[in-house]
Amino acid sequence: MEDSAEPSYMSSTSSPHILNCLTCYDIPIHSVPEGGSSPEIMSLAKLSASLEQLMVSSIGVDYSDADIEVDGVSVGVHRCILATRSKFFHEKFKEDVDSLEKKESRPKYYMSKLLPYGSVGYEAFLVFLSYVYTGQLKPCPPDVSTCVNDGCSHDACRPAINFSVELMYASAIFGVPELVSLYQRRLFNFVEMALVEDIIPIIVVACHCQLIQLLDQCVHRVAKSDLDSISIEKEVPYKVAKDIKSIRLQCLDENSNAMINDDPLRERRIRNIHKALDSDDVELVKRLLQESDITLDAAHALHYAVAYCDPKVVSEVLNLGLANVNLRNAWGYTVLHVAASRKEPSLIVQLLKEGACASEATPDGQNSVSICRKLTRPKDYNEITEKGHKSNKDRLCIEVLEREVCRNRIAIDASSSSPIMDDDRHTKLQYIDLKNRVALAHLLFPSEAKLAMDIANAEAASQYAGVPLSKSSNDIFDEVDLDTTPIAKDERILANMVALKRTVETGRRYFPNCSEVLDKFMSDDLNDESYFLDKGTAEEQEIKKQRFMELKEDLQNAFTKDKAELSRVGLSSTTSSSNVGLSSTTSSSKVKRKRKSPS
């Protein structure tokens, strides 16, 4: 879809409500009398309001005749309205007329199948749908178009850009040209205000929807910035990346004083290391390091792995012991800053465990917490997690980083975690307690428990994630092969206990609120049957169910208490920490990164 000319009525000085009605029904602006109070306009306004009531089904009866599923939620639509307002839906419904007549149930469509590229979320689709029905453009919902960084003005943060990009996809693919024109103007504004790395989604949508002018502006903004070539090649379409490279080379040619210091052989060796990481082949990385003088740090291999590779690959690279976790790249970003941008909890905690400093700031004054917060929507951060369900990854990343900034790092000495095996009975009891604690943690906090296991490298502990809780000592060593020698058996038990204890200690460090609930539960005087709700008399079962309801309430209280502690220490979501000593003006005002021009 090529850039459409601005309709004449879009520049009207009439009220927004009247203007939207005119837009919806294609009434020329010259027909509107001064004051905008003609019977025709008033009728259109009333019709718009009536159609809105139909869309939200507030009239008490659902007259919709089809469903479109978006993000797992079915949205009732009226095919006659969508077909009239959108050529895309007209053609789609027309194709399905014959097949639908044979079906008794109402037709259902899936957003993921309607879109040839890009994505449109539930909230963005509702805003689009509201415009199609009423001709009125609703404000963007703040919980999905802003971030949770208190110091952000939200005029060009990533959630704001992403929401407009989703609406652009809907407008362009479903064929509503007036919305395409409107959101193209919004995206034009973002290009000038946003951080250069946040322009990537705009480049992708402009390329897919053939918005030539918008794409040209994005290309020139990126070409004149110092956004690294690796990010460009990995994240934008090939043709666009080629155009950006061509403009950069032209700028260098025009500048007679430009010094090209790139070593082709060195660059090729670095790219070979990156390709090996892309293939998850850390053994090949080791061979490449041995064959040249390029180091992991020189190739910024850990930065690259954290940005683009599987967490298991990052773990293997860290295990080589050859990379500096606090190394800064050309932008002044540490590896933890890159991990915060990716918002993957396991990566963040792996780096913290290896000594990454959460309070380090970027050149423009952001630390890992503020980076993560600027990428997180209120909807995701404030999502209520029910017991036994996975926590939202975005919130989990922020909570881990905030706790690390609030307090000094506590080194975990693996050797001090080794249990004493002198007293066999004592060992069995300790083993049971650890096993039950890990199993209970996985039941109540699946995301947090799995993360603690992964970071503690507790492969042995993971086998207890789904097993029933037990207080019996008879099955304590059932997982150990009885045919093994006593020495091998003891070594296996010792290794399991070390893994379990590391998991518990990691949980205490990064998830104190969860640990508080587990401490209270585990300290209760429970007998062998107390963990099983379906055992015992009816009265005993009822008592145990009541106990678990109390546990659920304790869980909520613990989360509230932990949040209160974070607020009490005065942690700002946009400051690096008291150790960094950043000025309040830097942390509270909107900071725009100034990119160096190659010229």
Side-chain angles (χ1 to χ4, degrees):
M1 178 180 297
E2 296 188 0
D3 298 351
S4 56
E6 183 80 355
S8 60
Y9 52 76
M10 294 299 287
S11 59
S12 169
T13 57
S14 302
S15 68
H17 181 84
I18 300 299
L19 176 60
N20 283 326
C21 291
L22 297 177
T23 303
C24 182
Y25 297 102
D26 298 327
I27 295 179
I29 192 63
H30 58 73
S31 67
V32 183
E34 292 186 7
S37 59
S38 71
E40 181 182 19
I41 299 303
M42 297 302 294
S43 297
L44 287 174
K46 187 174 181 180
L47 176 60
S48 176
S50 298
L51 288 172
E52 184 175 17
Q53 296 297 314
L54 180 64
M55 189 188 77
V56 299
S57 301
S58 60
I59 57 179
V61 181
D62 183 9
Y63 291 115
S64 61
D65 59 0
D67 293 305
I68 297 180
E69 184 171 304
V70 190
D71 292 343
V73 181
S74 291
V75 179
V77 298
H78 304 76
R79 284 179 290 168
C80 58
I81 296 178
L82 264 63
T84 303
R85 296 283 285 130
S86 165
K87 184 178 180 180
F88 174 92
F89 283 111
H90 171 75
E91 296 295 334
K92 181 64 179 176
F93 297 151
K94 184 179 178 181
E95 292 175 1
D96 297 341
V97 167
D98 295 336
S99 61
L100 291 175
E101 288 179 352
K102 301 177 182 179
K103 298 181 179 179
E104 297 181 358
S105 59
R106 58 195 276 161
K108 186 170 185 177
Y109 301 89
Y110 296 89
M111 181 62 68
S112 58
K113 295 181 180 180
L114 293 175
L115 301 175
Y117 41 75
S119 63
V120 177
Y122 174 73
E123 292 82 3
F125 182 62
L126 289 186
V127 172
F128 168 82
L129 204 61
S130 175
Y131 182 85
V132 169
Y133 272 66
T134 70
Q136 300 182 55
L137 185 62
K138 287 188 172 182
C140 299
D143 63 333
V144 291
S145 61
T146 62
C147 66
V148 293
N149 190 329
D150 296 334
C152 181
S153 59
H154 309 305
D155 53 1
C157 59
R158 180 61 78 91
I161 292 174
N162 288 344
F163 193 77
S164 292
V165 165
E166 289 181 22
L167 281 166
M168 174 58 81
Y169 273 123
S171 305
I173 294 172
F174 299 148
V176 183
E178 61 268 26
L179 272 186
V180 171
S181 177
L182 189 153
Y183 280 104
Q184 184 172 215
R185 290 201 304 274
R186 287 195 181 181
L187 294 176
F188 265 119
N189 293 333
F190 285 140
V191 173
E192 293 303 322
M193 295 187 296
L195 300 176
V196 67
E197 60 265 30
D198 290 338
I199 298 176
I200 300 299
I202 303 178
I203 290 179
V204 176
V205 70
C207 187
H208 283 156
C209 299
Q210 300 181 26
L211 306 173
I212 307 302
Q213 294 179 5
L214 178 61
L215 181 60
D216 184 65
Q217 184 177 0
C218 291
V219 166
H220 280 82
R221 168 78 199 279
V222 173
K224 294 178 180 179
S225 74
D226 66 346
L227 185 63
D228 63 281
S229 58
I230 294 175
S231 298
I232 295 172
E233 293 173 3
K234 296 285 289 187
E235 300 178 32
V236 305
Y238 173 77
K239 183 180 182 304
V240 178
K242 188 177 179 181
D243 291 342
I244 293 173
K245 183 178 180 180
S246 175
I247 293 175
R248 285 183 169 179
L249 290 174
Q250 183 180 356
C251 291
L252 288 173
D253 291 339
E254 292 174 355
N255 189 348
S256 58
N257 296 324
M259 297 294 294
I260 303 177
N261 297 319
D262 292 340
D263 182 347
L265 179 59
R266 177 185 174 84
E267 290 298 318
R268 184 164 64 251
R269 288 173 172 174
I270 290 175
R271 286 183 178 274
N272 287 339
I273 292 175
H274 293 168
K275 289 179 181 179
L277 291 171
D278 285 333
S279 302
D280 299 348
D281 195 342
V282 179
E283 287 298 322
L284 177 57
V285 172
K286 291 169 64 176
R287 289 200 297 272
L288 291 172
L289 293 175
Q290 294 171 355
E291 294 171 359
S292 71
D293 59 347
I294 303 297
T295 64
L296 284 180
D297 288 347
H300 289 106
L302 193 53
H303 285 84
Y304 184 91
V306 167
Y308 304 112
C309 299
D310 188 271
K312 291 184 178 179
V313 176
V314 176
S315 180
E316 291 179 22
V317 174
L318 287 170
N319 289 338
L320 295 177
L322 301 175
N324 178 7
V325 293
N326 288 307
L327 179 71
R328 292 179 180 270
N329 61 13
W331 292 3
Y333 273 39
T334 67
V335 184
L336 189 59
H337 293 149
V338 177
S341 300
R342 183 170 172 178
K343 296 188 297 183
E344 176 56 51
S346 61
L347 290 176
I348 290 173
V349 184
Q350 279 189 69
L351 295 173
L352 291 175
K353 183 189 172 213
E354 293 297 324
C357 183
S359 61
E360 289 287 336
T362 63
D364 59 4
Q366 298 185 77
N367 69 345
S368 53
V369 177
S370 59
I371 290 173
C372 205
R373 278 186 168 273
K374 289 192 72 171
L375 298 172
T376 302
R377 309 180 302 176
K379 176 187 176 182
D380 301 323
Y381 183 74
N382 299 321
E383 181 182 15
I384 298 176
T385 304
E386 298 181 2
K387 183 184 71 173
H389 290 72
K390 292 184 177 180
S391 299
N392 182 276
K393 281 189 173 183
D394 295 4
R395 185 179 67 192
L396 197 57
C397 289
I398 293 173
E399 288 180 347
V400 168
L401 289 169
E402 283 181 337
R403 291 184 188 120
E404 190 67 11
V405 170
C406 281
R407 50 192 280 264
N408 294 325
R409 285 200 74 251
I410 301 175
I412 300 177
D413 185 359
S415 61
S416 65
S417 299
S418 301
I420 301 175
M421 302 296 290
D422 296 337
D423 183 2
D424 186 60
R425 177 172 175 79
H426 172 75
T427 300
K428 289 182 178 181
L429 292 176
Q430 186 183 20
Y431 193 89
I432 294 172
D433 286 339
L434 291 171
K435 172 182 173 183
N436 285 337
R437 185 183 178 94
V438 171
L440 182 62
H442 189 273
L443 175 66
L444 298 178
F445 321 102
S447 296
E448 289 82 350
K450 184 179 184 303
L451 187 57
M453 292 175 190
D454 292 342
I455 303 311
N457 294 322
E459 293 84 358
S462 63
Q463 64 182 295
Y464 305 116
V467 301
L469 303 178
S470 173
K471 278 286 185 175
S472 172
S473 60
N474 294 328
D475 61 348
I476 187 62
F477 301 137
D478 284 350
E479 71 279 5
V480 180
D481 187 355
L482 297 180
D483 291 335
T484 59
T485 64
I487 295 178
K489 181 177 176 181
D490 288 343
E491 289 178 349
R492 173 74 178 276
I493 296 169
L494 178 61
N496 287 351
M497 291 190 68
V498 170
L500 289 167
K501 197 164 186 179
R502 282 180 180 172
T503 300
V504 172
E505 290 179 349
T506 304
R508 288 188 186 281
R509 176 182 176 185
Y510 293 110
F511 310 109
N513 52 343
C514 304
S515 296
E516 182 180 343
V517 176
L518 292 174
D519 287 341
K520 183 175 181 180
F521 186 84
M522 298 298 292
S523 63
D524 288 347
D525 186 13
L526 302 174
N527 56 43
D528 291 351
E529 304 295 333
S530 297
Y531 291 99
F532 300 94
L533 299 182
D534 58 346
K535 291 188 178 183
T537 64
E539 182 178 358
E540 290 173 343
Q541 291 181 29
E542 185 64 30
I543 292 174
K544 286 186 285 186
K545 289 179 181 178
Q546 181 63 31
R547 174 67 186 92
F548 274 92
M549 291 302 294
E550 293 174 358
L551 177 64
K552 183 177 180 180
E553 183 178 355
D554 291 343
L555 169 62
Q556 297 299 329
N557 293 336
F559 275 116
T560 303
K561 178 180 177 182
D562 193 59
K563 290 291 184 184
E565 288 180 358
L566 289 176
S567 300
R568 191 159 53 246
V569 298
L571 175 66
S572 170
S573 61
T574 56
T575 57
S576 297
S577 78
S578 59
N579 295 331
V580 181
L582 295 176
S583 65
S584 59
T585 55
T586 302
S587 60
S588 61
S589 62
K590 183 185 67 156
V591 180
K592 184 191 296 184
R593 182 173 305 143
K594 299 293 185 180
R595 296 297 184 192
K596 297 177 294 183
S597 172
S599 59

